[in-house]
């Protein structure tokens, strides 16, 4: 039977090529995803580990929750502690480090890198006057508040030289610093494309709000002293409950674990692409083997007649699938390695921060890729092989098996109706539940399976709707309609590939468009301010920015938004809550909050307003008095003056900055809301930009920018799904080509007769193309219809947490998706139509 299977594979090379391609694409994306994420994870881990080479023990402040002290009173690692740590037995040196966000502008005034990879630190010279972490390539170490040093990679990229004046920003205001030195570093962020600016220690402490203190103390062990022994010695000099020591190895291991976890999300997203491609490919593989088995029914019957058992017949089909799957898996693995390398190069080319490192092809990647390709192909071929083995030899010789029995059709349609009904009911019930995600997900899967099972039944009425249009193409159109309906199961399996892809993308497009509309409405309804000013890195903003904006003649009202931790309640019932400070006098002019109870009034003194979710959770109502412990440890009382409907822009406990600021040691703002005389105009924005010194680190966003920023996650997801659709379209296109090619082969005699009675080659081509177009549009209509239904249902859940949610049907994009389905049908028919038209009519008539 192995020789029989091998002979059949070699005899049908052309027909199995599309199956190999379908499996290969899915395996390629699985392998490419694993190679890409493994390579990226390895590069980031090795890059980050370089930063721990000189650290045997790191001393860091304990978190607020670990200390149990007053909120916000962060412990400082000061010079006294640094001196004590440097004197412990086994320590060669101790380095006090200070770090924070530092934006460096290029010569055109634009930010170098992105907000999350541009950082600054302190140059900490040793006894020899040099900092071994940062060897100077040119110039001297920075001294004084107006000097700094820059990493060589950034300096070369921006064209800076020692002596240049460079514009930088740490917390908002622009600073002009003299570049005194250019240094080399193995810092992982710099290796990944970020920037690093160094200041002398007093300047860094001043800039990063660590006056007289450090972010971390790094200790180097003497020769022969282990990291654990050094840690034990350091622990003895640390203030109780104020700081903790960690070995360099533990830090490196924690960093590696964090990087690995951060890669998991990307890996899951990319593997979803491959999973959809393989899922769609299953239909193609099953379709291919079903047709191949149908074309060899007499051969299989003869094998049964000469003594082959059912098991042997099934085994021969599965062996064919095994050989095809192995070939597809090997080629897919090779292509996947190329995809992994290409994705990394693409990230680097687009300016993403990717460290250098080798391409990582782990044994698990090879095993997983081969297993996926082989298992998917064998599973898809199992049902056709089993069906072939169950056909009696005499029936197969007479081809009486070709038409499905009435009983099998009734069973199939009944099962499909039950699945679809249960799924639709589950989705509808979930829309009325408070947390119906799981129920809706299960219902959606059942409905999708049910529709797939019912697709052959649905094909007849839906394809019949195209009859009037097809008649315009004469005999070719009528023949195309009949051919599409001749084998409903094969038509359904082919159309299902497109249906699945379009269901996903249409559903997500409906959800994303509706959410964007809701966010736009939220920004319009809740925000009266013309602009929201914040740091590009989303780091805290200096209060100087708010003060400068408030003094502009173009500004009629402004309010900084300031967050600060606090403890609400007394005794064991006290809980940490963040307070949001605003300019109480102008806040009402900048926002339009929807109050469920009470009102905004004028925020002053102990008055505060609370969002509805927090009020419900804490059982607070208008008039509730809240005992509060501020971050400096002082106590007070807040009175709830109103309960408002929270949203993505404003939520939590809001009070006047005049009440909050006296309790903050280092006040910083998260953003500043601004209303101008002329509204959101180019002139107004230019005035703000100019007033802030054309600072590349500061973002000035209008209402549209704010809503787009909130909806960025949905846009990213939608773009990913468009990529998924492209994969599904490619695989579905292969399926349509495969189906048409085999359909042409089966109808060779019929095509020969049509040619003999007068249908020319152009008519044959048109017939095959129209058949392909009808099948593709059938899948497109089903997919778009299901997608709209799922999008509406998911929106009902979202509307429960977003009052401004509004269903939006993207008619233009849905028309585009239907157009894509039509293009797939036309392109997929090119080769089969040409092949059908070139058949020799006499040879085709004589063919069996």
């Amino acid at each position: 039977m192995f020789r029989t299977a091998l002979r059949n594979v070699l005899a049908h090379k052309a027909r199995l090529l599309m199956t190999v391609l379908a499996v290969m694409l899915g395996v390629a994306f699985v392998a490419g995803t694993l190679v890409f994420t493994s390579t990226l994870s390895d590069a980031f881990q090795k890059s980050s580990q370089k930063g721990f080479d000189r650290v045997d023990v790191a001393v860091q402040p304990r978190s607020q929750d670990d200390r149990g002290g007053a909120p916000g009173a962060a412990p400082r690692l000061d010079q006294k502690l640094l001196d004590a740590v440097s004197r412990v037995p086994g320590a060669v040196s101790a380095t006090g480090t200070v770090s924070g966000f530092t934006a460096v502008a290029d010569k055109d005034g634009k930010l170098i890198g992105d907000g999350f990879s541009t950082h600054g630190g302190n140059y900490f010279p040793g006894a020899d006057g040099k900092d071994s972490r940062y060897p100077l390539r040119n110039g001297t170490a920075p001294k004084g508040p107006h000097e700094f040093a820059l990493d060589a990679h950034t300096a070369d990229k921006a064209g800076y030289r020692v002596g240049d004046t460079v514009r930088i920003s740490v917390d908002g205001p622009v600073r002009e610093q003299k570049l005194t030195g250019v240094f080399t570093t193995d810092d992982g962020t710099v290796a990944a494309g970020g920037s690093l600016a160094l200041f002398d220690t007093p300047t860094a402490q001043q800039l990063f709000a660590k006056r007289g203190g450090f972010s971390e103390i790094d200790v180097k062990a003497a020769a022969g002293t282990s990291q654990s022994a050094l840690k034990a010695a350091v622990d003895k000099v640390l203030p109780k409950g104020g700081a903790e020591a960690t070995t360099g190895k533990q830090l490196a291991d924690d960093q590696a674990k964090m990087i690995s976890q951060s890669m998991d999300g990307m890996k899951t997203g990319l593997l979803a692409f491959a999973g959809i491609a393989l899922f769609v490919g299953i239909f193609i593989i099953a379709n291919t083997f079903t047709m191949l088995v149908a074309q060899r029914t007499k051969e299989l019957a003869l094998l049964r007649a000469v003594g082959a058992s059912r098991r042997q017949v099934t085994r021969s089909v599965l062996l064919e699938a095994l050989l095809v799957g192995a070939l597809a898996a090997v080629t897919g693995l090779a292509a996947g390695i190329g995809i992994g390398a290409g994705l990394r190069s693409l990230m680097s080319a687009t300016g993403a921060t990717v460290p250098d490192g080798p391409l990582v092809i782990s044994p698990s990647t090879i095993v997983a890729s081969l297993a996926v390709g082989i298992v998917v192909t064998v599973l898809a071929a199992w049902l056709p092989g089993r069906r072939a083995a169950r056909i009696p030899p005499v029936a197969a010789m007479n081809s009486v098996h070709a038409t499905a029995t009435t009983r099998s059709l009734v069973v199939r349609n009944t099962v499909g109706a039950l699945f679809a009904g249960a799924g639709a009911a589950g989705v509808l019930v979930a829309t009325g539940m408070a947390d119906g995600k799981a129920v809706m997900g299960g219902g959606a899967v059942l409905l999708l399976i049910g529709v797939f099972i019912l697709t052959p039944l649905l094909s007849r009425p839906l394809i019949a709707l195209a009859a009037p249009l097809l008649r315009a193409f004469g005999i070719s159109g009528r023949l195309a309609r009949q051919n599409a309906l001749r084998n409903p199961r094969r038509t359904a399996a082919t159309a299902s590939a497109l249906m699945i892809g379009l269901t996903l993308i249409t559903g997500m497009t409906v959800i994303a468009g509706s959410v964007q509309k809701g966010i736009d409405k939220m920004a319009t309804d809740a925000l009266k301010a013309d602009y929201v000013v914040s740091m590009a890195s989303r780091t805290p903003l200096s209060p100087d920015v708010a003060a400068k904006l408030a003094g502009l003649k173009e500004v009629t009202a402004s309010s900084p938004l300031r967050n600060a931790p606090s403890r609400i309640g007394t005794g064991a019932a006290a809980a940490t809550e963040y307070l949001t400070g605003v300019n109480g006098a102008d806040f009402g002019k900048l926002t339009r909050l929807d109050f469920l109870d009470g009102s905004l009034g004028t925020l002053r003194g102990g008055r505060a307003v609370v969002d509805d979710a927090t009020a419900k959770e804490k059982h607070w109502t208008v008039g509730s008095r809240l005992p509060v412990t501020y971050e400096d440890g002082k106590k007070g009382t807040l009175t709830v003056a109103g309960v408002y409907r929270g949203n993505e822009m404003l939520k939590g406990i809001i009070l006047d900055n005049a009440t909050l600021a006296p309790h903050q040691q280092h006040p910083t703002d998260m953003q500043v809301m601004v209303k101008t005389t002329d509204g959101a105009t180019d002139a107004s924005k230019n005035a703000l930009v100019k007033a802030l010194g054309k600072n590349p680190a500061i973002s000035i966003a209008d209402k549209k920018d704010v809503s787009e920023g909130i909806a960025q996650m949905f846009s990213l997801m939608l773009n990913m799904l468009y990529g998924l659709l492209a994969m599904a379209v490619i695989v579905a296109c292969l399926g349509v080509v495969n189906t048409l090619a085999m359909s042409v082969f089966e109808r060779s005699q019929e095509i020969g007769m049509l040619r003999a009675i007068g249908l020319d080659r152009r008519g044959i081509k048109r017939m095959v193309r129209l058949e392909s177009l009808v099948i593709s549009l059938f899948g497109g209509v089903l997919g778009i219809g299901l997608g709209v239904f799922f999008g509406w249902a998911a929106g009902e859940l979202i509307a429960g947490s977003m009052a401004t949610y509004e269903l939006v049907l993207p008619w233009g994009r849905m028309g585009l998706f239907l157009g894509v389905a039509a293009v797939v049908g036309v392109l997929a028919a090119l080769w089969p139509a040409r092949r059908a038209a070139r058949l020799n009519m006499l040879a085709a008539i004589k063919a069996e």
Side-chain angles (χ1 to χ4, degrees), residues 272-318:
F273 283 63
I276 294 295
L278 286 171
F279 187 59
V280 172
I282 287 175
F283 297 118
I284 299 172
I285 299 164
N287 216 11
T288 300
F289 278 95
T290 297
M291 287 185 281
L292 287 175
V293 168
Q295 291 169 10
R296 301 201 329 258
T297 50
K298 291 188 178 181
E299 174 189 328
L300 295 175
L302 184 60
L303 287 174
R304 291 288 310 281
V306 298
S309 64
R310 288 183 175 180
R311 183 174 296 177
Q312 286 178 311
V313 171
T314 302
R315 195 179 300 155
S316 71
V317 176
L318 293 180

Side-chain angles (χ1 to χ4, degrees), residues 87-143:
R87 292 192 295 266
V88 301
V92 171
S93 64
T95 302
T97 66
V98 187
S99 61
F101 166 73
T102 303
V104 180
D106 61 18
K107 290 186 176 181
D108 295 326
K110 296 180 180 178
L111 179 67
I112 298 175
D114 58 57
F116 298 98
S117 63
T118 57
H119 62 295
N122 64 315
Y123 188 89
F124 193 90
D128 59 355
K130 298 178 180 179
D131 190 333
S132 60
R133 300 172 300 169
Y134 309 114
L136 288 167
R137 190 185 73 180
N138 308 107
T140 60
K143 295 178 181 178

Side-chain angles (χ1 to χ4, degrees), residues 708-786:
E708 287 178 352
I710 298 173
Q712 191 173 9
M713 179 184 67
F714 298 97
S715 299
L716 178 62
M717 188 182 301
L718 188 62
N719 290 334
M720 288 180 64
L721 279 168
Y722 282 143
L724 184 150
L725 175 64
M727 269 297 301
V729 165
I730 292 171
V731 178
C733 192
L734 292 175
V736 178
V737 172
N738 215 11
T739 298
L740 290 175
M742 293 191 174
S743 179
V744 167
F745 177 82
E746 286 181 349
R747 304 201 309 265
S748 294
Q749 279 187 332
E750 175 187 320
I751 292 172
M753 288 296 295
L754 290 172
R755 289 290 314 282
I757 60 176
L759 190 62
D760 59 11
R761 289 186 174 181
R762 182 177 296 177
I764 295 293
K765 285 183 180 180
R766 188 181 297 120
M767 175 187 73
V768 176
R769 288 171 184 163
L770 289 173
E771 179 184 350
S772 174
L773 182 63
V774 166
I775 292 173
S776 297
L777 288 176
F778 168 55
V781 169
L782 277 182
I784 291 172
L786 282 173

Side-chain angles (χ1 to χ4, degrees), residues 540-572:
L541 194 66
S542 168
D544 294 342
V545 173
K548 184 170 290 188
L549 292 172
L552 295 179
K553 63 179 182 179
E554 293 87 357
V555 174
T556 58
S558 66
S559 172
L561 264 67
R562 184 174 299 171
N563 288 337
S566 70
R567 301 278 291 179
I568 302 291
T570 57

Side-chain angles (χ1 to χ4, degrees), residues 455-479:
T455 307
L457 179 66
L458 297 173
S459 65
R460 292 188 177 278
L462 288 179
I463 292 178
L465 294 175
L469 295 175
L470 292 174
R471 290 196 194 100
F473 295 95
I475 188 64
S476 297
R478 288 194 292 272
L479 289 172

Side-chain angles (χ1 to χ4, degrees), residues 492-573:
T494 305
S496 296
L498 267 177
M499 179 190 76
I500 293 169
L502 286 175
T503 296
L504 290 172
I505 194 65
T506 303
M508 282 307 302
T509 301
V510 170
I511 293 171
S514 301
V515 168
Q516 180 66 64
K517 179 73 173 178
I519 292 173
D520 288 342
K521 190 176 180 182
M522 181 193 303
T524 303
D525 292 349
L527 199 63
K528 293 181 186 177
D530 297 316
Y531 296 102
V532 174
V533 180
S534 62
M535 294 293 287
S537 60
R538 298 293 181 258
T539 51
L541 194 66
S542 168
D544 294 342
V545 173
K548 184 170 290 188
L549 292 172
L552 295 179
K553 63 179 182 179
E554 293 87 357
V555 174
T556 58
S558 66
S559 172
L561 264 67
R562 184 174 299 171
N563 288 337
S566 70
R567 301 278 291 179
I568 302 291
T570 57

